[in-house]
Amino acid sequence: IFAQQHPGLTLLLLGDDGEQRLVVTANYDVEKSEANRSVPSNVVAINTPIEIGPTRVKVLSGRLVENAPGIPVGSAFYLVDFTVENIGEEALNAADFAFELMDYARVKYELSDIASRLGPNPPPGGQLLPGLSGTFTTGFEVPSNITGPILTWIFKPNASFKGQASVAVPLLGPTPTPDPRSQMRV
């Protein structure tokens, strides 16, 4: 009863010292939409440069932030650090860049100004002259129970641009501090 060969749950209820124990099992029924679901092939990994329109964008890192100033109860912030190089011939306004974050259930989250200011880099803004690059941080307000294991960060040079760059970013949060009561010795 302890060797599971498929996703599910096994409960062994302990009680009397008798020979018999109550065992409850629950099988996980995989929905057809979930079966063999993986990252779409048009999504690239972190540190992969993507040329889209007049830009070359590369995601440097992504992380979940909890317990920071300005986070509403039941929410967290997801921060993405990235660089954008202007490979075109005209100056770009970084404030025109469009961003979204999509979770594994395909729910999309909008850019948050408060979250974007928490990163080590500034939020996207200012002029980006031809041949120059800038490093920025985008932040998104997400529910604290966001579904993973990966999220998809979506970039467009501007909101009306037809294509998009999609990057798989990990859903990793900070290492939780253990409850001091779990460290007790009696």
Side-chain angles (χ1 to χ4, degrees), residues 6-85:
H6 52 80
L9 177 69
T10 302
L11 297 174
L12 179 63
L13 302 176
L14 302 176
D16 297 330
D17 290 333
E19 294 288 323
Q20 296 183 349
R21 301 278 187 242
L22 179 59
V23 176
V24 179
T25 59
N27 291 325
Y28 176 68
D29 190 20
V30 178
E31 294 179 23
K32 289 185 179 169
S33 63
E34 257 185 84
N36 298 323
R37 188 168 170 190
S38 62
V39 178
S41 61
N42 60 345
V43 176
V44 300
I46 287 179
N47 288 320
T48 304
I50 305 167
E51 289 188 12
I52 179 163
T55 65
R56 181 179 296 124
V57 63
K58 180 170 73 169
V59 171
L60 305 172
S61 67
R63 66 204 163 283
L64 188 67
V65 176
E66 300 173 305
N67 302 322
I71 299 178
V73 175
S75 294
F77 287 154
Y78 193 85
L79 305 181
V80 177
D81 301 317
F82 65 100
T83 61
V84 177
E85 180 184 355

Side-chain angles (χ1 to χ4, degrees), residues 107-180:
V107 175
K108 292 185 178 181
Y109 303 96
E110 301 289 321
L111 188 66
S112 164
D113 291 331
I114 295 170
S116 296
R117 287 190 217 109
L118 289 178
N121 306 300
Q127 293 287 317
L128 203 55
L129 298 175
L132 296 181
S133 63
T135 303
F136 306 103
T137 297
T138 53
F140 304 85
E141 183 181 332
V142 298
S144 56
N145 62 347
I146 189 167
T147 56
I150 58 111
L151 302 174
T152 304
W153 181 80
I154 299 167
F155 168 84
K156 292 181 175 186
N158 59 57
S160 63
F161 196 82
K162 298 293 181 199
Q164 68 184 29
S166 301
V167 180
V169 291
L171 180 56
L172 298 175
T175 304
T177 305
D179 186 338

